[in-house]
Each structure stands twice: as C-alpha cells, then as structure tokens.
Amino acid sequence: AQTVTQSQPEMSVQEAETVTLSCTYDTSESDYYLFWYKQPPSRQMILVIRQEAYKQQNATENRFSVNFQKAAKSFSLKISDSQLGDAAMYFCAYRRGNTGTASKLTFGTGTRLQVTL
Amino acid sequence: GAVVSQHPSWVICKSGTSVKIECRSLDFQATTMFWYRQFPKQSLMLMATSNEGSKATYEQGVEKDKFLINHASLTLSTLTVTSAHPEDSSFYICSARGTGGDGYTFGSGTRLTVV
C-alpha cells in the first residue's frame, strides 16, 4: 500500500520569508500524481499544487513550488514570500495513475504552518 | 470553477439517531465521490468511494451498515450515519471527481457531534 509521510508536525515562518515543507512517499508504481493541499481554519481543502510523476520539471504556482525527487520519493513544497494567509494545515497527497477507483487520494499526516509578523 | 456544496455544515444529534449528509456538485457531473473522516488535528481518512449508480467501496475497517452511502445521481451523493454514537463525532468531508478534468473538488465539510 502507498504511504505518505510528513515528518514536520509544525513549522513556523516569518512573513516574507521562505519555508519548505517536507513529504516522502512510498510506492512501487511508476505512474502517479502528487499533490499539496492547504486546509485553513475554515477546513475547506484547497489545492495548492500538483505534480505528475512522469514530468521531470518541478511544478510551480506563483509563490509555491515543489522539489520533486522521484528516485528519493521526495516531494517538498517551498513557499516563497510567506503571507499571513498562508497559515494553515498543509497535506501532501498521493494518487496512482488514472485507473478508475484507484484514483483515490492518500494523505499524509499534515504540517501546521504558522506565519509570524 | 467546480463547486461541491455540502450540507449541513454542522449538526448535533442524539445518540441512537441517524444523520444524513449531502454533497451536491453544482456545475459538473460527479462520477466518483469520496467520503473522508477527519479527527481533530489529524489527517483525512478515506471511508469509502462511490461511483454513480454503483455500490460504494468501503475502506478496511469502515462499517458499511453504519455509514450508508448513496450515489444515485451524477450530482448528489449522501452519507448517512446510522444509529450514531458519540464516537462517531467527527468532521466529514466529501470530494468529487467529474468526467472532464482530473481534479478533486472538496465540499466544505460537516461537523457532526453526537450527544
């Protein structure tokens, strides 16, 4: 079974600084997708960024970027120029390739990010 | 963008009663619905996956007779917690996938408290 590990229960960053959240995963599949989701206090899940395993180029979305190391099964999220609104729980998630019901997401345990002034 | 409306956002019920949670896809057809449970300060745990018109597939350890899932149409899926007990108190979230894109759209969640 696939597992997703987030080893940092909590992280803190000062406003305007950069922070990196770690995620590792275990899979024997070659075709899969990785995601970072944000869950603010409202508890609405928000997609931050996604990465297809077959793509070597790291995904970026404005201030958010990933460092995808396929051989190491590592998928870290870098948040640049941190803002107060970035404070939330961040979940790393894994999904096998597009194969029907196998398309379910497996979530990591989450990292709570605090942003300080 | 795609929206999933989840209701109610919170509910308090007495032990032994049943509670129904609805998730509606407002502007797309949800062929697959995922139901999650989230305990405080913990991750989302998948309970079951349902495809429109088919029986739900439950994860190991989830009682299908207790957590009844219905996905009778492409825009509506329901989760009914039957004979609720205090240990069923939790945050329940649905997530839908449609025919067109590759993404997941999450509902806003339901906080269930059983007293």
Side-chain angles (χ1 to χ4, degrees):
Chain A
Q2 291 79 24
T3 58
V4 179
T5 302
Q6 294 179 249
S7 59
Q8 305 155 315
E10 292 189 8
M11 292 284 284
S12 182
V13 63
Q14 280 193 320
E15 199 177 17
E17 296 297 308
T18 296
V19 65
T20 298
L21 308 184
S22 300
C23 173
T24 59
Y25 58 95
D26 185 26
T27 183
S28 58
E29 304 288 331
S30 58
D31 181 21
Y32 54 88
Y33 298 79
L34 297 165
F35 305 81
W36 277 99
Y37 281 91
K38 170 184 177 180
Q39 188 180 42
S42 68
R43 304 193 76 169
Q44 175 71 56
M45 295 291 284
I46 301 167
L47 175 65
V48 175
I49 200 166
R50 61 175 269 168
Q51 174 83 41
E52 292 87 346
Y54 63 85
K55 289 187 177 179
Q56 291 187 335
Q57 187 171 8
N58 290 321
T60 63
E61 284 289 342
N62 301 314
R63 299 182 295 109
F64 300 88
S65 61
V66 298
N67 184 1
F68 173 47
Q69 301 290 327
K70 191 171 184 179
K73 296 180 182 175
S74 171
F75 183 61
S76 61
L77 174 69
K78 185 172 82 171
I79 306 174
S80 304
D81 187 24
S82 297
Q83 300 175 359
L84 293 177
D86 295 333
M89 279 290 288
Y90 286 82
F91 292 100
C92 179
Y94 165 100
R95 194 201 94 192
R96 286 173 62 187
N98 196 12
T99 52
T101 56
S103 62
K104 62 184 180 182
L105 290 172
T106 300
F107 287 92
T109 50
T111 296
R112 181 169 301 280
L113 178 66
Q114 289 185 318
V115 181
T116 59
L117 293 170
Chain B
V3 175
V4 170
S5 176
Q6 182 171 347
H7 292 282
S9 55
W10 61 270
V11 58
I12 301 173
C13 71
K14 290 185 177 180
S15 189
T17 63
S18 295
V19 173
K20 180 183 285 187
I21 300 169
E22 290 189 352
C23 278
R24 292 181 183 274
S25 57
L26 298 186
D27 48 5
F28 69 103
Q29 294 183 326
T31 53
T32 304
M33 191 71 76
F34 304 91
W35 287 94
Y36 296 88
R37 182 173 182 175
Q38 186 179 28
F39 289 106
K41 298 184 179 181
Q42 293 190 23
S43 187
L44 281 72
M45 300 302 297
L46 182 65
M47 300 174 65
T49 302
S50 71
N51 293 299
E52 183 267 337
S54 303
K55 287 185 178 180
T57 301
Y58 289 82
E59 295 298 300
Q60 193 172 9
V62 177
E63 300 176 60
K64 58 183 176 183
D65 293 332
K66 181 169 187 60
F67 299 99
L68 301 179
I69 290 172
N70 184 286
H71 193 171
S73 80
L74 285 170
T75 58
L76 175 64
S77 179
T78 62
L79 166 67
T80 302
V81 183
T82 62
S83 187
H85 291 284
E87 57 266 30
D88 299 325
S89 298
S90 189
F91 192 70
Y92 293 87
I93 307 174
C94 64
S95 175
R97 291 193 75 195
T99 53
D102 203 28
Y104 300 80
T105 303
F106 285 82
S108 52
T110 297
R111 181 180 302 281
L112 170 64
T113 301
V114 184
V115 297

